[in-house]
Amino acid sequence: MKLTTKGRYAVMALVDLARFDNVNPVSLRDISLRQGISLDYLEQIFLKLRKKEIVQSIRGTQGGYVLKKKAHEIKLTNIFEAVDEKIKTVQCKKESKRGCNGKPTKCLTHDLWDELENHINSFFKEKSLEDLVKNNNEKRI
Amino acid sequence: MKLTTKGRYAVMALVDLARFDNVNPVSLRDISLRQGISLDYLEQIFLKLRKKEIVQSIRGTQGGYVLKKKAHEIKLTNIFEAVDEKIKTVQCKKESKRGCNGKPTKCLTHDLWDELENHINSFFKEKSLEDLVKNNNEKRI
DNA sequence: ATAAACCCGACTAAAATAGTCAAGTATCAT
DNA sequence: ATGATACTTGACTATTTTAGTCGGGTTTAT
Ligand code: FES
Ligand code: FES
């Protein structure tokens, strides 16, 4: 069970962005350099973040990205959802009555995995970008 | 972020085993049929469970596996550890001062991922095999 | 003896990940 | 105006991981 770079980088990049946000748009080039993430890869990620209206783009020289919502309104859940970093503890569909790989009924441990999924998601639901930035600034005092 | 079949099947198989355990050894063939998991794959999984002393094998006809510990002593953590289903929220080593892919320092969000990892592991630490079996029996009354 | 069961290492197809690459378009500074 | 900067988009790909399979053992009850 591992977190992919897509989710990790998305959050990393947004924390970086959020710290400089209120001044000027932040270019991906800067984020790339500061955080050591490939520029091309960041572009992919920000495309998704923009489509989900988490960030807004400003084109041209001196352009970049700014947050489209307040930092406290952006939860980790929203970020992960935007970049398709999803928690999957099972293979079977949630709605379906059938079990994994088409079995007629759900397995012995199905409820456990649901519970696990909720447990993990609850972590993402309560953390906001603002929390992360604050937390970070405190440590640098 | 997804749970792999190795971890999922290990728990599933052990719950199955635990339910029949006190009578006779349970053969992988039976588990395979009941749970719809490939026999060859189960053998791989049980090899690891045996090496970590979670189950004990009984060879020969009428053989199979039995739990080596009490069901309440076997936590999900132990099972996952045995089959190498590990939670990895980061790529960088825990001990090292350096960050991901050899960067000289840990990233902005490093603490967050540590926290996440702990949050997930706490779930695994508190659930025992006994809990799962009981929970299951209750629902079938 | 033989069948049921565990034991073990090696192999592999398919999927997912973590990017790269190429060819744009918009906007600002000068 | 024009170049440089920065976003936009789609396609492509190497590597790694996953989810097994396969083959050939050994042990033991009957
Ligand atoms: S996890 Fe899919 S049926 Fe149990
Ligand atoms: S997660 Fe590895 S350095 Fe932050």
Side-chain angles (χ1 to χ4, degrees):
Chain A
M1 216 179 178
K2 72 164 68 128
L3 189 67
T4 68
T5 55
K6 214 148 206 168
R8 189 144 27 84
Y9 288 170
V11 175
M12 236 189 258
L14 282 175
V15 171
D16 183 311
L17 189 156
R19 299 170 80 207
F20 295 85
D21 184 47
N22 27 21
V23 200
N24 282 311
V26 180
S27 74
L28 293 189
R29 186 155 180 286
D30 286 353
I31 297 180
S32 165
L33 290 173
R34 276 196 296 262
Q35 305 305 327
I37 304 170
S38 138
L39 178 58
D40 282 322
Y41 202 19
L42 273 178
E43 281 174 346
Q44 274 188 50
I45 293 170
F46 273 74
L47 185 66
K48 295 184 179 201
L49 292 174
R50 181 171 60 82
K51 284 189 178 154
K52 295 289 178 167
E53 313 211 309
I54 290 172
V55 296
Q56 189 173 3
S57 70
I58 294 159
R59 303 184 67 156
T61 324
Q62 307 298 95
Y65 287 91
V66 291
L67 293 183
K68 186 148 186 186
K69 292 175 181 156
K70 301 280 178 208
H72 74 267
E73 289 171 329
I74 303 173
K75 305 291 191 207
L76 251 55
T77 315
N78 308 128
I79 301 173
F80 279 172
E81 203 177 315
V83 298
D84 306 308
E85 173 81 49
K86 29 184 172 265
I87 309 302
K88 290 205 70 178
T89 55
V90 297
Q91 284 168 333
C92 46
K93 302 276 172 233
K94 209 148 219 171
E95 310 75 35
S96 151
K97 288 268 184 223
R98 336 199 95 237
C100 282
N101 45 39
K103 278 199 278 142
T105 169
K106 301 275 187 186
C107 75
L108 277 180
T109 46
H110 190 88
D111 292 347
L112 175 68
W113 309 127
D114 267 357
E115 212 184 316
L116 171 58
E117 203 162 307
N118 291 336
H119 182 254
I120 297 175
N121 280 324
S122 75
F123 183 89
F124 297 143
K125 277 180 197 150
E126 72 189 16
K127 293 267 178 201
S128 76
L129 200 50
E130 190 180 37
D131 297 336
L132 300 181
V133 174
K134 271 189 182 162
N135 215 301
N136 217 278
N137 286 337
E138 272 165 33
K139 257 176 291 175
R140 306 200 172 221
I141 285 167
Chain B
M1 217 182 180
K2 71 164 67 132
L3 188 67
T4 68
T5 56
K6 214 147 206 168
R8 187 143 31 82
Y9 288 170
V11 175
M12 239 190 255
L14 282 174
V15 171
D16 183 311
L17 189 156
R19 300 170 79 206
F20 294 86
D21 183 46
N22 27 21
V23 200
N24 282 311
V26 180
S27 75
L28 292 189
R29 186 154 180 287
D30 287 352
I31 297 180
S32 165
L33 291 173
R34 277 196 294 262
Q35 305 305 327
I37 303 169
S38 139
L39 178 58
D40 282 322
Y41 201 20
L42 273 177
E43 278 176 347
Q44 273 189 49
I45 292 170
F46 273 75
L47 186 67
K48 295 185 180 201
L49 292 174
R50 181 172 60 80
K51 284 189 178 153
K52 294 289 178 165
E53 312 211 308
I54 290 172
V55 296
Q56 188 171 3
S57 69
I58 293 159
R59 303 183 66 155
T61 323
Q62 306 298 98
Y65 287 92
V66 290
L67 293 183
K68 186 147 186 185
K69 291 177 183 155
K70 302 282 176 206
H72 73 267
E73 290 171 329
I74 303 173
K75 307 290 190 204
L76 249 56
T77 313
N78 308 128
I79 302 173
F80 279 172
E81 202 178 316
V83 299
D84 306 310
E85 174 81 49
K86 31 184 171 263
I87 310 301
K88 290 204 70 179
T89 55
V90 296
Q91 284 168 334
C92 46
K93 302 277 171 230
K94 209 147 218 171
E95 310 75 36
S96 151
K97 289 267 182 220
R98 338 199 95 237
C100 283
N101 44 41
K103 277 197 280 143
T105 168
K106 302 276 187 186
C107 73
L108 277 180
T109 47
H110 191 88
D111 291 346
L112 175 68
W113 310 127
D114 267 356
E115 213 184 315
L116 171 57
E117 203 163 307
N118 291 336
H119 182 254
I120 298 176
N121 280 324
S122 75
F123 184 90
F124 297 143
K125 276 180 197 151
E126 73 189 16
K127 293 264 177 203
S128 77
L129 200 50
E130 191 180 37
D131 298 335
L132 300 181
V133 175
K134 271 189 181 161
N135 215 301
N136 217 277
N137 286 339
E138 272 165 33
K139 257 175 292 176
R140 305 198 175 224
I141 284 168

PDB file of all heavy atoms in Angstrom, chain A residues 89-92 98-100 103 105-110 113, chain B residues 8 12, ligand 1:
ATOM      1  N   THR A  89      -9.169  -0.081  -1.297  1.00  0.00           N
ATOM      2  CA  THR A  89      -8.828  -1.224  -0.447  1.00  0.00           C
ATOM      3  C   THR A  89      -9.417  -2.505  -1.026  1.00  0.00           C
ATOM      4  O   THR A  89      -9.083  -3.588  -0.575  1.00  0.00           O
ATOM      5  CB  THR A  89      -9.377  -1.024   0.976  1.00  0.00           C
ATOM      6  OG1 THR A  89     -10.771  -0.791   0.889  1.00  0.00           O
ATOM      7  CG2 THR A  89      -8.706   0.156   1.649  1.00  0.00           C
ATOM      8  N   VAL A  90     -10.300  -2.370  -1.996  1.00  0.00           N
ATOM      9  CA  VAL A  90     -10.917  -3.536  -2.619  1.00  0.00           C
ATOM     10  C   VAL A  90     -10.953  -3.357  -4.128  1.00  0.00           C
ATOM     11  O   VAL A  90     -10.686  -2.279  -4.642  1.00  0.00           O
ATOM     12  CB  VAL A  90     -12.359  -3.735  -2.131  1.00  0.00           C
ATOM     13  CG1 VAL A  90     -12.394  -4.014  -0.659  1.00  0.00           C
ATOM     14  CG2 VAL A  90     -13.212  -2.530  -2.481  1.00  0.00           C
ATOM     15  N   GLN A  91     -11.305  -4.435  -4.814  1.00  0.00           N
ATOM     16  CA  GLN A  91     -11.421  -4.345  -6.267  1.00  0.00           C
ATOM     17  C   GLN A  91     -12.877  -4.282  -6.709  1.00  0.00           C
ATOM     18  O   GLN A  91     -13.183  -3.782  -7.771  1.00  0.00           O
ATOM     19  CB  GLN A  91     -10.733  -5.554  -6.917  1.00  0.00           C
ATOM     20  CG  GLN A  91      -9.219  -5.421  -6.902  1.00  0.00           C
ATOM     21  CD  GLN A  91      -8.523  -6.705  -7.273  1.00  0.00           C
ATOM     22  OE1 GLN A  91      -9.060  -7.793  -7.080  1.00  0.00           O
ATOM     23  NE2 GLN A  91      -7.302  -6.600  -7.762  1.00  0.00           N
ATOM     24  N   CYS A  92     -13.754  -4.802  -5.849  1.00  0.00           N
ATOM     25  CA  CYS A  92     -15.162  -4.852  -6.235  1.00  0.00           C
ATOM     26  C   CYS A  92     -15.805  -3.469  -6.123  1.00  0.00           C
ATOM     27  O   CYS A  92     -15.394  -2.648  -5.324  1.00  0.00           O
ATOM     28  CB  CYS A  92     -15.901  -5.834  -5.343  1.00  0.00           C
ATOM     29  SG  CYS A  92     -15.528  -5.657  -3.599  1.00  0.00           S
ATOM     30  N   ARG A  98     -22.233  -7.894  -5.841  1.00  0.00           N
ATOM     31  CA  ARG A  98     -21.296  -8.977  -6.120  1.00  0.00           C
ATOM     32  C   ARG A  98     -19.924  -8.669  -5.521  1.00  0.00           C
ATOM     33  O   ARG A  98     -19.594  -7.513  -5.270  1.00  0.00           O
ATOM     34  CB  ARG A  98     -21.135  -9.214  -7.624  1.00  0.00           C
ATOM     35  CG  ARG A  98     -22.293  -8.749  -8.481  1.00  0.00           C
ATOM     36  CD  ARG A  98     -22.280  -9.425  -9.848  1.00  0.00           C
ATOM     37  NE  ARG A  98     -23.135 -10.595  -9.872  1.00  0.00           N
ATOM     38  CZ  ARG A  98     -22.741 -11.831 -10.185  1.00  0.00           C
ATOM     39  NH1 ARG A  98     -21.491 -12.061 -10.497  1.00  0.00           N
ATOM     40  NH2 ARG A  98     -23.586 -12.844 -10.180  1.00  0.00           N
ATOM     41  N   GLY A  99     -19.157  -9.733  -5.354  1.00  0.00           N
ATOM     42  CA  GLY A  99     -17.863  -9.579  -4.718  1.00  0.00           C
ATOM     43  C   GLY A  99     -16.756  -9.324  -5.714  1.00  0.00           C
ATOM     44  O   GLY A  99     -17.021  -8.996  -6.866  1.00  0.00           O
ATOM     45  N   CYS A 100     -15.517  -9.473  -5.256  1.00  0.00           N
ATOM     46  CA  CYS A 100     -14.369  -9.243  -6.109  1.00  0.00           C
ATOM     47  C   CYS A 100     -14.372 -10.240  -7.260  1.00  0.00           C
ATOM     48  O   CYS A 100     -14.902 -11.331  -7.153  1.00  0.00           O
ATOM     49  CB  CYS A 100     -13.089  -9.368  -5.297  1.00  0.00           C
ATOM     50  SG  CYS A 100     -12.791  -7.902  -4.309  1.00  0.00           S
ATOM     51  N   LYS A 103     -17.484 -12.509  -8.100  1.00  0.00           N
ATOM     52  CA  LYS A 103     -18.108 -13.546  -7.277  1.00  0.00           C
ATOM     53  C   LYS A 103     -19.523 -13.112  -6.884  1.00  0.00           C
ATOM     54  O   LYS A 103     -19.810 -11.930  -6.752  1.00  0.00           O
ATOM     55  CB  LYS A 103     -17.242 -13.833  -6.044  1.00  0.00           C
ATOM     56  CG  LYS A 103     -16.103 -14.794  -6.420  1.00  0.00           C
ATOM     57  CD  LYS A 103     -15.511 -15.459  -5.190  1.00  0.00           C
ATOM     58  CE  LYS A 103     -14.498 -14.558  -4.527  1.00  0.00           C
ATOM     59  NZ  LYS A 103     -14.483 -14.581  -3.102  1.00  0.00           N
ATOM     60  N   THR A 105     -21.155 -13.066  -4.224  1.00  0.00           N
ATOM     61  CA  THR A 105     -21.408 -12.395  -2.946  1.00  0.00           C
ATOM     62  C   THR A 105     -20.134 -11.793  -2.357  1.00  0.00           C
ATOM     63  O   THR A 105     -19.032 -12.212  -2.690  1.00  0.00           O
ATOM     64  CB  THR A 105     -22.050 -13.396  -1.957  1.00  0.00           C
ATOM     65  OG1 THR A 105     -22.061 -12.826  -0.664  1.00  0.00           O
ATOM     66  CG2 THR A 105     -21.271 -14.687  -1.913  1.00  0.00           C
ATOM     67  N   LYS A 106     -20.298 -10.823  -1.499  1.00  0.00           N
ATOM     68  CA  LYS A 106     -19.150 -10.146  -0.910  1.00  0.00           C
ATOM     69  C   LYS A 106     -18.373 -11.094   0.005  1.00  0.00           C
ATOM     70  O   LYS A 106     -18.961 -11.989   0.616  1.00  0.00           O
ATOM     71  CB  LYS A 106     -19.614  -8.937  -0.092  1.00  0.00           C
ATOM     72  CG  LYS A 106     -20.390  -7.908  -0.907  1.00  0.00           C
ATOM     73  CD  LYS A 106     -19.501  -6.930  -1.628  1.00  0.00           C
ATOM     74  CE  LYS A 106     -20.361  -5.842  -2.270  1.00  0.00           C
ATOM     75  NZ  LYS A 106     -19.568  -4.944  -3.107  1.00  0.00           N
ATOM     76  N   CYS A 107     -17.091 -10.861   0.127  1.00  0.00           N
ATOM     77  CA  CYS A 107     -16.241 -11.778   0.882  1.00  0.00           C
ATOM     78  C   CYS A 107     -16.332 -11.553   2.393  1.00  0.00           C
ATOM     79  O   CYS A 107     -16.906 -10.581   2.864  1.00  0.00           O
ATOM     80  CB  CYS A 107     -14.800 -11.636   0.438  1.00  0.00           C
ATOM     81  SG  CYS A 107     -14.025 -10.144   1.059  1.00  0.00           S
ATOM     82  N   LEU A 108     -15.728 -12.472   3.125  1.00  0.00           N
ATOM     83  CA  LEU A 108     -15.687 -12.462   4.589  1.00  0.00           C
ATOM     84  C   LEU A 108     -15.188 -11.150   5.180  1.00  0.00           C
ATOM     85  O   LEU A 108     -15.640 -10.732   6.236  1.00  0.00           O
ATOM     86  CB  LEU A 108     -14.706 -13.536   5.077  1.00  0.00           C
ATOM     87  CG  LEU A 108     -15.171 -14.978   5.196  1.00  0.00           C
ATOM     88  CD1 LEU A 108     -14.020 -15.825   5.681  1.00  0.00           C
ATOM     89  CD2 LEU A 108     -16.336 -15.058   6.165  1.00  0.00           C
ATOM     90  N   THR A 109     -14.235 -10.546   4.497  1.00  0.00           N
ATOM     91  CA  THR A 109     -13.551  -9.392   5.083  1.00  0.00           C
ATOM     92  C   THR A 109     -13.953  -8.068   4.442  1.00  0.00           C
ATOM     93  O   THR A 109     -13.328  -7.048   4.697  1.00  0.00           O
ATOM     94  CB  THR A 109     -12.027  -9.564   4.928  1.00  0.00           C
ATOM     95  OG1 THR A 109     -11.760  -9.978   3.587  1.00  0.00           O
ATOM     96  CG2 THR A 109     -11.498 -10.600   5.883  1.00  0.00           C
ATOM     97  N   HIS A 110     -14.989  -8.134   3.672  1.00  0.00           N
ATOM     98  CA  HIS A 110     -15.352  -6.928   2.926  1.00  0.00           C
ATOM     99  C   HIS A 110     -15.570  -5.703   3.817  1.00  0.00           C
ATOM    100  O   HIS A 110     -15.098  -4.602   3.511  1.00  0.00           O
ATOM    101  CB  HIS A 110     -16.587  -7.184   2.081  1.00  0.00           C
ATOM    102  CG  HIS A 110     -16.855  -6.088   1.125  1.00  0.00           C
ATOM    103  ND1 HIS A 110     -16.310  -6.044  -0.137  1.00  0.00           N
ATOM    104  CD2 HIS A 110     -17.559  -4.951   1.260  1.00  0.00           C
ATOM    105  CE1 HIS A 110     -16.688  -4.944  -0.729  1.00  0.00           C
ATOM    106  NE2 HIS A 110     -17.455  -4.259   0.091  1.00  0.00           N
ATOM    107  N   TRP A 113     -12.426  -3.884   4.994  1.00  0.00           N
ATOM    108  CA  TRP A 113     -11.750  -3.010   4.019  1.00  0.00           C
ATOM    109  C   TRP A 113     -12.508  -1.704   3.843  1.00  0.00           C
ATOM    110  O   TRP A 113     -11.899  -0.645   3.632  1.00  0.00           O
ATOM    111  CB  TRP A 113     -11.556  -3.733   2.692  1.00  0.00           C
ATOM    112  CG  TRP A 113     -10.926  -5.075   2.853  1.00  0.00           C
ATOM    113  CD1 TRP A 113     -11.385  -6.261   2.375  1.00  0.00           C
ATOM    114  CD2 TRP A 113      -9.720  -5.388   3.574  1.00  0.00           C
ATOM    115  NE1 TRP A 113     -10.549  -7.279   2.748  1.00  0.00           N
ATOM    116  CE2 TRP A 113      -9.526  -6.784   3.478  1.00  0.00           C
ATOM    117  CE3 TRP A 113      -8.785  -4.636   4.290  1.00  0.00           C
ATOM    118  CZ2 TRP A 113      -8.440  -7.433   4.072  1.00  0.00           C
ATOM    119  CZ3 TRP A 113      -7.714  -5.277   4.891  1.00  0.00           C
ATOM    120  CH2 TRP A 113      -7.544  -6.649   4.780  1.00  0.00           C
TER     121      TRP A 113
ATOM    122  N   ARG B   8      -4.641  -8.506   1.265  1.00  0.00           N
ATOM    123  CA  ARG B   8      -6.075  -8.763   1.378  1.00  0.00           C
ATOM    124  C   ARG B   8      -6.349 -10.261   1.499  1.00  0.00           C
ATOM    125  O   ARG B   8      -7.089 -10.706   2.375  1.00  0.00           O
ATOM    126  CB  ARG B   8      -6.814  -8.155   0.177  1.00  0.00           C
ATOM    127  CG  ARG B   8      -8.311  -8.220   0.300  1.00  0.00           C
ATOM    128  CD  ARG B   8      -9.025  -6.978  -0.260  1.00  0.00           C
ATOM    129  NE  ARG B   8      -8.336  -6.362  -1.356  1.00  0.00           N
ATOM    130  CZ  ARG B   8      -8.418  -6.770  -2.631  1.00  0.00           C
ATOM    131  NH1 ARG B   8      -9.196  -7.791  -2.939  1.00  0.00           N
ATOM    132  NH2 ARG B   8      -7.753  -6.143  -3.556  1.00  0.00           N
ATOM    133  N   MET B  12      -7.965 -12.526   4.521  1.00  0.00           N
ATOM    134  CA  MET B  12      -9.142 -13.323   4.167  1.00  0.00           C
ATOM    135  C   MET B  12      -8.915 -14.791   4.506  1.00  0.00           C
ATOM    136  O   MET B  12      -9.754 -15.431   5.161  1.00  0.00           O
ATOM    137  CB  MET B  12      -9.346 -13.223   2.654  1.00  0.00           C
ATOM    138  CG  MET B  12     -10.665 -12.667   2.225  1.00  0.00           C
ATOM    139  SD  MET B  12     -10.830 -12.890   0.441  1.00  0.00           S
ATOM    140  CE  MET B  12     -10.563 -11.237  -0.120  1.00  0.00           C
TER     141      MET B  12
HETATM  142  S1  FES E   1     -13.290  -7.125  -0.949  1.00  0.00           S
HETATM  143 FE1  FES E   1     -14.438  -7.420  -2.752  1.00  0.00          FE
HETATM  144  S2  FES E   1     -15.715  -9.000  -2.095  1.00  0.00           S
HETATM  145 FE2  FES E   1     -14.629  -8.631  -0.347  1.00  0.00          FE
END
